[in-house]
Amino acid sequence: MKERLLDTQAGSTERWRQWLETRLARRRDDGLWRERLTMSPSPSATLRDFASNDYLGLARDPRLAEAQAAASRHYGTGSRASHLVNGHFEIHDQLESRLAELTGRPRALLFSTGYMANLGVLQALCDTKTHIFQDRYNHASLLDGAALSGARSRRFHHNALEDLALLLARSPEDSLKLVASDGVFSMDGDCANIEGLSTLCQRYGAALMIDDAHGLGVLGAHGDGCVGRAYSTREVPILVGTLGKALGTAGAFVAGDDILIDALIQFSRPYLYTTAQPPGVTAATLAALDILRDEPERRERLHNHITYFRHHGHALGLPLMGSQTPIQPLMLGDVERVRRWSDTLRSHGFMIGAIREPTVPSGMARLRIALSSDHERSDIDALLDILETLIQRERS
Ligand SMILES: *Cc1c(COP(=O)(O)O)cnc(C)c1O
């Protein structure tokens, strides 16, 4: 009896192995195998980094590191527990107030990552009777959050308000509805039509949720993002921002009114069942917010880089997209072509994200160039030079 059990177990382990091997082989054959790069702490010495989301060059700012070290000494490195046990410190309250203030919302609530914030909102607010509508190009965490919530989930065509309007009109009038969209689309760099989404949501009584991971720190008069103080809590009731991109640290937050934040604290499992953000990270983020306020020249420099890159990119005939943000994808289409360009760029010391399915639809593979205020004009010129060589080589 005992032996039979072991046999069965061995058989099932073998089936698992075969199942995984088949899937891994398929991924390799499709040319979609993913590799991690192991970075050194100062890639700038050998590599020009056009892949990171560190749009304001804050991730390596010594002031953030100092704040992080000081807070770690004071509070301890870890927060030791979740927010509802005893991991919630006054420094977390301070950061929540500052984020609420930055985005012009009554309150904000910290999450450990943006991925968890999106899961946390959708799981807490939606259930199987709720209808969620999302842009087809939304970040994976919004799609996964809808799945976790069990809600009925529909996707509308990218930035197509008329498509969303149709879906909303067809949904049961008395049902709870939530529309979710990225603010700045992470792989395309274009912005959602916040105004249009908000108007539609108000017409159909839907709650609007905007994930401004890539807009926060970069867009808006105060670096407050594509929603921020430009749109009221009534227009955009649920705002998500992340701290690991332009702010250079880690974590995320949800901003909105009392009822939203109370509901998240009570019901959001990705909020409740995880260790609170390390106090050092919180302190570093406070330092980043000071810099955001005191050094608007960083944003200005970044926007000058964007204009400059687009102007010269157009002149060279590069396949630019419509983006006015630091995310400047080159739509190459074919996975092989992306690999060729990416290899050449790498051999000249340029780090650029090669993006392909499943992150983007098949046939829409691209290089995702990310600009930063840390770049020098000469870095962008050097990049444009190689891109010119690449495009001319293809033409000849
Ligand atoms: C990066 C990103 C996230 C995830 O944020 P993390 O803090 O890295 O987990 C969520 N939404 C969007 C749109 C993003 O680009």
Side-chain angles (χ1 to χ4, degrees):
M1 187 63 196
K2 195 170 168 204
E3 265 154 41
R4 270 219 346 248
L5 198 85
L6 285 175
D7 258 345
T8 321
Q9 272 175 356
S12 122
T13 313
E14 190 46 41
R15 286 213 303 279
W16 272 108
R17 174 197 291 287
Q18 281 171 9
W19 163 232
L20 290 178
E21 274 174 358
T22 310
R23 289 168 62 200
L24 289 171
R26 193 182 312 142
R27 171 142 303 200
R28 232 186 232 106
D29 294 346
D30 291 347
L32 297 176
W33 190 258
R34 297 176 159 208
E35 302 263 12
R36 297 178 306 176
L37 294 169
T38 305
M39 305 300 297
S40 61
S42 305
S44 50
T46 47
L47 270 182
R48 287 177 158 123
D49 176 6
F50 282 91
S52 306
N53 302 313
D54 185 21
Y55 305 121
L56 299 176
L58 292 177
R60 286 156 42 77
D61 191 299
R63 290 169 288 182
L64 273 65
E66 288 307 323
Q68 182 157 1
S72 298
R73 277 192 290 271
H74 184 64
Y75 290 94
T77 313
S79 57
R80 301 189 290 259
S82 65
H83 284 282
L84 268 79
V85 179
N86 64 344
H88 186 78
F89 291 91
E90 97 232 324
I91 195 166
H92 293 130
D93 283 333
Q94 271 174 44
L95 179 56
E96 287 178 348
S97 305
R98 287 285 299 276
L99 291 167
E101 191 189 327
L102 174 69
T103 55
R105 260 90 192 127
R107 280 173 76 185
L109 186 74
L110 280 176
F111 277 77
S112 295
T113 69
Y115 188 95
M116 290 170 73
N118 282 336
L119 292 192
V121 168
L122 294 175
Q123 174 267 322
L125 267 53
C126 305
D127 64 12
T128 52
K129 296 194 192 72
T130 313
H131 292 250
I132 298 178
F133 304 87
Q134 21 189 344
D135 190 290
R136 204 167 266 287
Y137 287 2
N138 273 356
H139 191 263
S141 52
L142 286 166
L143 306 176
D144 295 355
L148 180 64
S149 75
R152 296 166 203 210
S153 183
R154 299 296 305 268
R155 294 209 247 169
F156 54 92
H157 291 299
H158 178 50
N159 259 340
L161 291 178
E162 62 290 350
D163 191 30
L164 171 61
L166 264 176
L167 293 177
L168 284 167
R170 279 200 216 124
S171 66
E173 207 172 321
D174 58 349
S175 64
L176 286 174
K177 307 182 219 342
L178 184 145
V179 173
S181 176
D182 284 15
V184 173
F185 289 88
S186 51
M187 295 302 137
D188 294 67
D190 57 339
C191 297
N193 177 349
I194 309 284
E195 181 109 33
L197 287 171
S198 170
T199 306
L200 265 185
C201 283
Q202 289 179 52
R203 184 178 312 151
Y204 289 97
L208 178 58
M209 169 181 188
I210 300 292
D211 170 3
D212 202 14
H214 294 275
L216 194 81
V218 171
L219 303 178
H222 313 272
D224 50 336
C226 72
V227 175
R229 293 180 226 171
Y231 292 93
S232 68
T233 308
R234 202 178 66 85
E235 291 166 305
V236 180
I238 309 161
L239 174 61
V240 175
T242 68
L243 310 173
K245 282 159 184 159
L247 292 176
T249 61
F253 66 95
V254 181
D257 64 13
D258 278 327
I259 292 187
L260 173 70
I261 302 302
D262 284 344
L264 293 174
I265 295 174
Q266 298 306 316
F267 306 132
S268 178
R269 296 169 64 87
Y271 180 74
L272 291 166
Y273 298 109
T274 199
T275 302
Q277 180 176 84
V281 174
T282 313
T285 310
L286 284 165
L289 291 176
D290 287 343
I291 297 174
L292 186 69
R293 179 194 58 209
D294 298 339
E295 299 178 8
E297 61 271 20
R298 284 173 185 265
R299 290 201 299 284
E300 200 179 303
R301 194 172 143 88
L302 175 60
H303 287 284
N304 288 339
H305 284 345
I306 297 169
T307 310
Y308 183 83
F309 177 79
R310 287 187 65 78
H311 176 78
H312 290 278
H314 266 306
L316 295 177
L318 295 176
L320 297 172
M321 297 175 67
S323 163
Q324 302 296 325
T325 69
I327 302 167
Q328 289 294 325
L330 295 185
M331 179 60 90
L332 299 179
D334 172 65
V335 178
E336 267 312 309
R337 191 177 177 211
V338 168
R339 198 200 318 280
R340 269 198 315 276
W341 284 47
S342 161
D343 287 350
T344 305
L345 286 157
R346 183 70 52 77
S347 70
H348 286 85
F350 289 90
M351 275 284 309
I352 296 179
I355 312 291
R356 53 207 175 166
E357 65 176 309
T359 308
V360 293
S362 157
M364 294 174 78
R366 65 198 71 179
L367 288 175
R368 180 181 180 276
I369 295 170
L371 300 172
S372 164
S373 64
D374 248 9
H375 289 136
E376 298 294 335
R377 182 59 65 85
S378 59
D379 295 321
I380 299 175
D381 283 332
L383 172 62
L384 286 163
D385 279 347
I386 314 276
L387 292 172
E388 181 175 16
T389 316
L390 278 161
I391 199 140
Q392 281 178 353
R393 197 183 293 162
E394 283 187 354
R395 279 179 190 146
S396 60

